[in-house]
Amino acid sequence: MSESAQLQKLIIEGIQEKKGRAITIVDMSRIDTAATSQFIIAEGTSSMHVSSIADSIREYVLENGKIKPYNYDGYTNSEWIVIDYGNILVHVFIPETRHRYNLEELWSDASITRIPDLD
């Protein structure tokens, strides 16, 4: 398994640990103008849930993959937290904010994969 595929797997497992929902992988690796090769987008039910999911991702990836993010932001209001792993940017939203920014539609020329919710 490639390093990127392993990181993607760990991020998704970190999201699922805290029951994050509506996980979507936006693969932009074939888009020349994209700043990163992949978005992983998920949502929580509240700002507290969003911050809990983001914490879980960071802790899970560090514990199981020994990988720290380059940066992260959005904990102030926890409506949209982004975690930067270089070639993968993770976006965790509350539903209203996710709907407003609609990143999947913004990058509609990318390959989009939806991960079924665990429950």
Side-chain angles (χ1 to χ4, degrees), residues 101-113:
Y101 289 97
N102 200 359
L103 295 181
E104 292 95 332
E105 183 64 30
L106 185 66
W107 292 99
S108 60
D109 48 347
S111 169
I112 295 177
T113 305

Side-chain angles (χ1 to χ4, degrees), residues 32-76:
D32 294 335
T33 56
T36 189
S37 59
Q38 211 174 86
F39 283 170
I40 297 178
I41 304 168
E43 63 186 56
T45 55
S46 66
S47 58
M48 187 178 289
H49 190 206
V50 166
S51 61
S52 172
I53 293 167
D55 287 344
S56 176
I57 295 164
R58 292 178 27 240
E59 291 164 9
Y60 193 88
V61 171
L62 182 59
E63 197 173 294
N64 296 284
K66 308 291 184 247
I67 303 167
K68 286 184 178 180
Y70 292 105
N71 207 348
Y72 49 89
D73 194 22
Y75 278 92
T76 305

Side-chain angles (χ1 to χ4, degrees), residues 8-38:
Q8 175 185 318
K9 178 181 177 292
L10 291 172
I11 290 167
I12 291 168
E13 289 170 354
I15 293 167
Q16 292 172 331
E17 281 274 306
K18 292 294 182 184
K19 300 192 183 328
R21 305 183 62 77
I23 302 169
T24 304
I25 300 167
V26 181
D27 182 353
M28 301 173 291
S29 59
R30 293 197 168 104
I31 301 173
D32 294 335
T33 56
T36 189
S37 59
Q38 211 174 86

Side-chain angles (χ1 to χ4, degrees), residues 1-8 67 87-88:
M1 183 180 292
S2 74
E3 199 173 301
S4 185
Q6 178 67 17
L7 177 57
Q8 175 185 318
I67 303 167
N87 60 338
I88 299 177

